[in-house]
Amino acid sequence: MTREETLKVLAMLNAFYAGGKNDPQQQLAAWHLILQKYDYEIAKKAVINFAENDVRQYATFPAVGVIVAEIRKCEAEMDKPIKEIVRAVAYGYDYTQLSYTARSRISEEAYNEWL
C-alpha cells in the first residue's frame, strides 16, 4: 500500500466513523462502496425500520454495518413468502394452505400452473 492509498483508507474510515463531522463527498463515496450492491427500496425500508426501533438514549449516526444488518433482515423477510410458495409446490399443498403473505405474492392460477 502506498502513502496515498493509506490516506484513502484513513479518509474512508473517517467518513464512516467521524460522527457526521466529515466531508460529505467522502462520506458518500465510503457508504456507496458498501451499499451499492443493495436495492434502494430495501435499503430505504431498512433505514426506516432502524429509525423506528432505535431506542438509544443518544441518537448518533449509525455505523454502516448496522444498516447492512437491517437490510439483510428486510431481505430475509421478503424471501419468506417465496420460500413458502416453493416448499408448498414441492409438497403439493393446496393454494388455500398458503399464508396470506404468500398468496399476496402469487395468484391462485399461477400457483396451480406451478403444481
Side-chain angles (χ1 to χ4, degrees):
M1 181 181 311
T2 66
R3 182 177 170 85
E4 290 77 24
E5 290 168 335
T6 302
L7 185 59
K8 286 180 185 178
V9 169
L10 291 174
M12 189 183 316
L13 285 168
N14 184 52
F16 283 127
Y17 298 107
K21 299 176 182 124
N22 49 28
D23 180 344
Q25 290 303 316
Q26 285 183 354
Q27 186 172 13
L28 170 62
W31 277 70
H32 182 70
L33 281 173
I34 305 297
L35 298 179
Q36 66 185 336
K37 61 186 164 219
Y38 298 105
D39 179 76
Y40 167 74
E41 290 299 326
I42 296 171
K44 178 179 165 184
K45 181 177 173 150
V47 168
I48 291 168
N49 287 350
F50 172 79
E52 283 181 341
N53 296 297
D54 185 9
V55 294
R56 298 175 296 164
Q57 181 131 11
Y58 299 101
T60 58
F61 202 83
V64 70
V66 171
I67 299 303
V68 168
E70 196 66 42
I71 289 171
R72 290 180 179 156
K73 284 188 341 191
C74 288
E75 287 176 335
E77 283 298 314
M78 291 179 67
D79 286 347
K80 280 183 181 179
I82 295 167
K83 289 178 181 177
E84 178 186 348
I85 292 166
V86 170
R87 187 173 39 255
V89 167
Y91 289 109
Y93 293 161
D94 188 69
Y95 180 79
T96 58
Q97 293 177 284
L98 294 174
S99 68
Y100 171 79
T101 306
R103 286 185 306 216
S104 70
R105 300 294 283 284
I106 189 170
S107 70
E108 185 171 3
E109 181 180 289
Y111 181 80
N112 289 329
E113 283 181 32
W114 283 18
L115 278 176

